[in-house]
Amino acid sequence: MTHLEVEEARRIYFEHHRGDGRPVVLIHGWGATGRCWDTVAPALRANGNEVVILDQRTCGRSDNDFEDVSIAALGSDVARLCEHLGLREPVINGWSLGGAVAVDAVALLGSDVGGLVLTGGATPRYTASSDWPHGGTHDDVQAVLDGLAADRATTFRSVAEAVCAKPVGEQVVNWLWGMFLEMGPLGDQSLRDLADADQRKTIGSLDVPTLLLHGTEDGFVPFSGAQAAVSLYPDATLVDFDGCGHAPFLEDRERYLAELIGFLNR
């Protein structure tokens, strides 16, 4: 197993699959692990891409006792990992909360990045505000956190069942649920930090090609938010996945891979 020390003696887990093609960094969503990309990474490797997968702080095979689990800290980890591996113009792909992490990482890496992909990305805002009428409320977030504090297994089961709008089968739901249960309780605070994040100014400064892959029936990050956000990026394209929920890479895998690989091969 491979780890990178990022906070004192605390480490994050990562996998580095070498290839001659463009590097791709895959960032999982809140509560999940890098294993969520298991139906995506093999296709990228078959395309010749260099693939990097990581477990964020407190998730999966990374350490659980981090002091800082903010979006900024998670983004810094991704940037540090890219620099540690010497990746040349990587494309950073973030799912859900991982989208906000990807935005922070790209902002830190600057001209060293080849592109940004947001898969149901929870950015530029996860919660609604007076000038951003997309997303839930801070009370919604607190309700999830209260549920986790009282009954972690049942609450995460409900989250797993809500990820996909299209039928994906009980086995996939159980697989997601199992990943969520691997996250240590301190990871809950990453969601709390996401609820306060506003990346509108940041995304306006990202001078990299950006691809938004978003389900029209996303129950976590409304499709209307992706529609509103696309014009805020200097160079972005939005691809809608009709009838898909929060995980188009699971719900419409063939089209998802076609869009992603097409972007990587441009």
Side-chain angles (χ1 to χ4, degrees):
M1 296 175 68
T2 308
H3 291 83
L4 178 68
E5 189 173 302
V6 293
E7 182 191 84
E8 297 178 354
R10 300 176 182 92
R11 307 171 304 161
I12 60 168
Y13 170 86
F14 71 93
E15 299 173 9
H16 183 200
H17 303 280
R18 290 170 174 79
D20 295 328
R22 183 185 296 274
V24 186
V25 180
L26 300 173
I27 308 173
H28 64 77
W30 176 69
T33 78
R35 291 277 68 82
C36 73
W37 298 110
D38 279 358
T39 60
V40 173
L44 298 181
R45 295 187 66 192
N47 189 54
N49 296 101
E50 182 178 7
V51 179
V52 176
I53 305 168
L54 69 147
D55 288 349
Q56 297 183 54
R57 299 183 181 203
T58 76
C59 295
R61 291 145 292 186
S62 293
D63 291 338
N64 274 303
D65 57 343
F66 280 92
E67 298 282 341
D68 187 355
V69 294
S70 65
I71 301 301
L74 302 179
S76 176
D77 290 349
V78 174
R80 184 180 301 187
L81 180 58
C82 290
E83 292 168 348
H84 171 74
L85 296 175
L87 301 183
R88 185 173 179 272
E89 297 185 346
V91 170
I92 315 296
N93 182 357
W95 173 42
S96 190
L97 175 143
V101 174
V103 165
D104 261 26
V106 170
L108 288 171
L109 291 166
S111 60
D112 291 334
V113 176
L116 170 66
V117 179
L118 300 169
T119 300
T123 183
R125 289 189 60 92
Y126 182 61
T127 54
S129 65
S130 59
D131 59 349
W132 186 261
H134 315 283
T137 68
H138 282 76
D139 287 344
D140 296 331
V141 172
Q142 189 60 51
V144 173
L145 297 177
D146 289 345
L148 290 173
D151 184 348
R152 199 165 186 83
T154 302
T155 300
F156 266 137
R157 177 68 188 190
S158 297
V159 173
E161 291 174 343
V163 168
C164 298
K166 289 189 174 183
V168 292
E170 190 75 5
Q171 292 88 345
V172 173
V173 174
N174 288 338
W175 177 58
L176 290 169
W177 185 30
M179 281 188 275
F180 292 151
L181 291 175
E182 290 187 48
M183 183 178 73
L186 292 177
D188 298 3
Q189 299 309 310
S190 295
L191 182 62
R192 190 185 301 278
D193 189 63
L194 179 67
D196 293 325
D198 190 327
Q199 296 180 316
R200 281 178 283 185
K201 289 184 178 179
T202 303
I203 67 175
S205 69
L206 301 181
D207 190 21
V208 297
T210 301
L211 179 65
L212 284 69
L213 303 172
H214 213 104
T216 61
E217 304 302 318
D218 192 324
F220 292 87
V221 183
F223 182 66
S224 62
Q227 290 176 305
V230 67
S231 63
L232 302 180
Y233 295 88
D235 177 12
T237 300
L238 170 63
V239 177
D240 63 282
F241 285 78
D242 188 44
C244 288
H246 195 45
F249 58 98
L250 298 177
E251 300 171 77
D252 193 350
R253 177 177 176 269
E254 288 189 10
R255 184 169 178 236
Y256 179 87
L257 290 174
E259 295 289 350
L260 176 58
I261 290 173
F263 182 76
L264 296 173
N265 290 348
R266 71 198 186 286

